[in-house]
Amino acid sequence: MRTTRTPERGGAPAPEPAGFPEPWRPPQPLRDYALLADGERGVLVGPRGDFVWMCAPRWDSDAVFAGLVGGTGTYVVTPSGRAVWGGSYEDGSLVWRSRWITDDGIVECHEALAMPGDPHRAVVLRRIVATEGRAPLSVVLEPAAGFGREPLRDLSRDDDGVWTARTGGLWLRWTGCPDARPTGPGGRRLAAEPEAVPGAPHDLVLEIADAPFTGPPPHAGRAWDTTRAAWRREVPALDHITARRDARHAYTVLRGLTATSGGMVAAATTSVLERAEAGRNYDYRYVWIRDQCFAGQAVAATGPHPLLDDAVRFVTARLHQDGPRTAPAYTTDGRPVPGPRPLDLPGYPGGFDRVGNRVGGQFQLDVFGEALLLLAAAARHGPLGADARRAAAIAADTIARRRHEPDAGIWELAPRRWTHSRLVCAAGLRAIAHADPADRETAARRLALADRIVAETAADSVHPSGRWQRSPGDPRPDFALLLPAVRGALPPDDPRTTATLRACTAELADDHYAYRFRHDDLPLGDAEGAFLLCGFATALAEYQQGRTVAAYRWFERNRAACGPAGLYAEEYDVTQRQMRGNLPQAFVHAIMLECAARLTEPAPPEEGRQR
């Protein structure tokens, strides 16, 4: 087959088109990005139609588009002239529609990762649609594997106008742009200037794989039909749930972050700062067991949907795999999380670049309590299988043996005997004893262990004011301490429960935003952003107390802390109204979904009870 070869390094690539946009631009605020995901990897797309982040072929692989952290590599579809941006998701999917109003009309780019996802091959769908008037566009494709270190090579075009190339250890194939021209240094960038015309959609299909292609390129129309059908099949209607649209979108995001293994990554990105120049930016492209359990419990509150089975399957497998040494986090295929290393890139502004995470070397006791809570939530929808019951036994036995050891806790800090960790284990033991009581002797033993843990914790971690404190040596309040009571470690009317809620909302909240704990004597917002997980947890705690109005105030305040794409980061900078941390943060979407489900349930009979 005849092919057209691109110039080698030192040759003469085609000149850059007049007025063509520079592919690398400074990052945008997080609120301006949308997520495309298929469970195996994700893309962040910005308001200029630019892909600023994508790791391939898997979540924890090196990035091929790394502009978010100062690397090279991009894929741009954008109007050539002046334009005002907007966008939205197709309902119940991660099919994003970028939309620009130009001087001469309106043009959209429908974008998605093809579903169902293949762990070895990403298929990126982009469909250009002029809804009004004609619109000249600029298209740039410049993948660069290894976070930008590996430019395109072996670039060629066949007789059918299909481009193929290599970058690093990846194979690429691009259809729909036969008239693209190699441009830029060494001709490693493909560029084109198509015109969008009403009634003539233009499809672009990019494949990125870890092995050579063996069949023909995907048919764009069929790929779009299959993708939309997959989203309709995967995302439940969630009718009659409070804030249904946002709740359903939260479920959709969780599905997009969940691989075929059942593992759900904590976020799509790495190195997006939580606090400028504070060193708090981490790699979250891994499966945190706690986050997976949060998601499973949230889904269980809405019904026995597939994501609940995924969570149970992944967590059960890890407990069988590593037993009492189960790590806090894994890759999506169950491997250990690699340690951190720098990338020698600028990083997201205010932070610095790193991949990997130290979490793999930590012991987090509460993981075992959360696993029991997840399995109990599943048991309420049907009997647990033999593997899940054995996993519950492993988690319960680990709590019995290791509950006195210092652990890193929910916030992954220096090891201590964290109050939250111990009380969540008590909650998990109670939950599994009541939800799966087939063996009465085992259930009684677990309930007795829960009682002992609460008594042991009360002996050294109750503040003189009557509330729970963070640890035996740390008297401060912590919003994480609301979660054990919400999960059933203690009754809602236990004086320690109500005193803890009262102290947290008085000392760690501002205008219905919650801060985890006080770092120092500075104002709360100067130390870090408001923590959305804690805000939604407060809504759950208030509802448990029968204070429906207060619960909804917390819920509504925190669910508004997102951008046009409805994605949540870990933190929210209240002063600047900006999102902080990696995007999207799975556990925030999970607890938002759970809040929507719980607040739909009948209010507790204590409605209106005073503190």
Side-chain angles (χ1 to χ4, degrees):
M1 179 180 292
R2 182 182 63 81
T3 61
T4 301
R5 301 292 299 181
T6 66
E8 297 300 320
R9 186 178 296 277
E16 199 80 26
F20 207 79
E22 174 58 40
W24 190 91
R25 297 282 183 88
Q28 298 295 302
L30 294 179
R31 68 186 310 277
D32 288 342
Y33 290 115
L35 171 75
L36 316 179
D38 64 1
E40 308 297 338
R41 78 284 294 171
V43 175
L44 289 190
V45 55
R48 293 183 298 270
D50 50 335
F51 284 11
V52 300
W53 185 255
M54 180 183 181
C55 297
R58 293 171 295 278
W59 292 106
D60 60 332
S61 301
D62 287 358
V64 292
F65 305 132
L68 187 72
V69 295
T72 58
T74 193
Y75 185 13
V76 182
V77 176
T78 194
S80 298
R82 299 194 319 152
V84 175
W85 166 81
S88 62
Y89 284 108
E90 295 182 7
D91 186 42
S93 78
L94 291 183
V95 176
W96 177 253
R97 294 190 174 194
S98 296
R99 184 175 186 267
W100 298 277
I101 299 176
T102 71
D103 288 332
D104 300 313
I106 300 173
V107 62
E108 295 182 349
C109 185
H110 303 177
E111 5 213 9
L113 283 169
M115 291 276 284
D118 181 335
H120 301 285
R121 184 181 66 142
V123 179
V124 182
L125 306 176
R126 306 189 85 169
R127 173 172 285 176
I128 301 166
V129 178
T131 61
E132 181 179 317
R134 304 168 75 95
L137 300 170
S138 296
V139 175
V140 175
L141 176 62
E142 188 181 9
F147 295 94
R149 293 187 300 270
E150 302 284 348
L152 281 181
R153 68 181 192 277
D154 303 334
L155 181 62
S156 64
R157 183 185 62 199
D158 67 16
D159 291 339
D160 297 322
V162 177
W163 291 94
T164 57
R166 296 288 307 279
T167 175
L170 301 173
W171 281 258
L172 285 86
R173 183 163 61 182
W174 193 36
T175 60
C177 216
D179 297 329
R181 304 181 300 283
T183 67
R188 264 54 176 191
R189 177 190 307 162
L190 286 171
E193 295 178 292
E195 184 177 56
V197 179
H202 188 139
D203 282 307
L204 305 173
V205 180
L206 172 66
E207 301 166 82
I208 305 174
D210 59 7
F213 301 107
T214 57
H219 182 276
R222 286 195 291 271
W224 274 111
D225 290 344
T226 300
T227 297
R228 289 186 167 110
W231 281 115
R232 287 193 297 270
R233 183 173 62 252
E234 294 285 345
V235 179
L238 299 185
D239 291 330
H240 312 302
I241 285 183
T242 295
R244 174 188 176 273
R245 180 177 177 181
D246 286 353
R248 194 162 185 251
H249 183 52
Y251 186 104
T252 305
V253 172
L254 296 176
R255 173 59 188 89
L257 297 175
T258 301
T260 53
S261 66
M264 179 197 73
V265 293
T269 61
T270 178
S271 302
V272 183
L273 78 156
E274 297 173 5
R275 188 74 183 170
E277 309 302 339
R280 296 203 299 270
N281 50 320
Y282 309 101
D283 188 352
Y284 283 175
R285 300 171 301 151
Y286 308 105
V287 183
W288 262 254
I289 298 297
R290 180 191 303 106
D291 298 22
Q292 184 97 63
C293 293
F294 282 177
Q297 292 173 74
V299 171
T302 70
H305 302 303
L307 284 182
L308 174 58
D309 295 333
D310 289 335
V312 169
R313 177 161 50 96
F314 189 86
V315 172
T316 294
R318 303 291 76 74
L319 286 166
H320 282 284
Q321 172 183 302
D322 292 330
R325 298 296 171 185
T326 297
Y330 294 85
T331 63
T332 54
D333 55 359
R335 292 177 290 111
V337 172
R341 61 180 174 88
L343 292 174
D344 195 27
L345 294 173
Y348 190 81
F352 53 89
D353 62 306
R354 71 170 82 189
V355 293
N357 198 295
R358 291 188 178 89
V359 70
Q362 294 181 358
F363 168 53
Q364 296 177 15
L365 176 64
D366 68 302
V367 161
F368 298 95
E370 293 292 351
L372 291 177
L373 287 165
L374 168 66
L375 294 171
R380 287 190 282 271
H381 287 290
L384 294 178
D387 284 348
R389 281 188 169 170
R390 284 196 295 271
I394 292 169
D397 290 346
T398 301
I399 292 170
R401 295 176 184 178
R402 304 193 68 182
R403 70 183 189 275
H404 297 301
E405 296 180 30
D407 78 297
I410 186 172
W411 307 136
E412 299 180 358
L413 303 172
R416 294 184 185 178
R417 296 182 64 231
W418 295 106
T419 304
H420 165 269
S421 296
R422 292 182 282 167
L423 293 180
V424 159
C425 286
L429 289 163
R430 295 195 199 285
I432 196 66
H434 291 302
D436 187 37
D439 182 341
R440 293 185 179 181
E441 182 180 347
T442 298
R445 189 166 60 248
R446 290 170 179 173
L447 289 172
L449 178 57
D451 289 340
R452 285 199 303 274
I453 291 173
V454 172
E456 293 165 356
T457 309
D460 61 18
S461 295
V462 173
H463 190 266
S465 67
R467 61 166 171 80
W468 294 106
Q469 62 184 44
R470 302 185 75 209
S471 72
D474 188 339
R476 293 173 292 174
D478 189 318
F479 260 109
L481 295 170
L482 302 187
L483 288 169
V486 167
R487 299 301 184 207
L490 303 113
D493 60 354
D494 186 291
R496 294 163 296 189
T497 297
T498 55
T500 302
L501 176 56
R502 185 165 58 247
C504 287
T505 54
E507 299 179 38
L508 298 176
D510 182 14
D511 197 18
H512 289 82
Y513 289 111
Y515 296 82
R516 294 183 297 169
F517 54 88
R518 189 173 289 280
H519 291 262
D520 44 41
D521 294 330
L522 295 173
L524 290 169
D526 288 358
E528 66 177 6
F531 216 75
L532 298 183
L533 172 71
C534 297
F536 286 119
T538 309
L540 292 174
E542 292 282 15
Y543 202 69
Q544 186 185 52
Q545 293 295 316
R547 291 188 283 270
T548 305
V549 173
Y552 270 93
R553 289 187 69 183
W554 280 97
F555 175 69
E556 296 294 351
R557 179 57 121 178
N558 285 268
R559 83 174 173 113
C562 60
L567 304 179
Y568 295 105
E570 189 171 41
E571 298 180 7
Y572 188 70
D573 186 322
V574 176
T575 301
Q576 297 187 28
R577 300 179 188 270
Q578 295 286 359
M579 298 154 61
R580 306 291 186 208
N582 283 294
L583 188 76
Q585 192 74 35
F587 65 52
V588 179
H589 292 80
I591 198 166
M592 182 270 161
L593 173 62
E594 182 176 2
C595 272
R598 300 293 184 202
L599 268 60
T600 307
E601 298 170 355
E606 296 89 350
E607 176 69 28
R609 184 178 64 185
Q610 297 298 309
R611 294 180 180 172

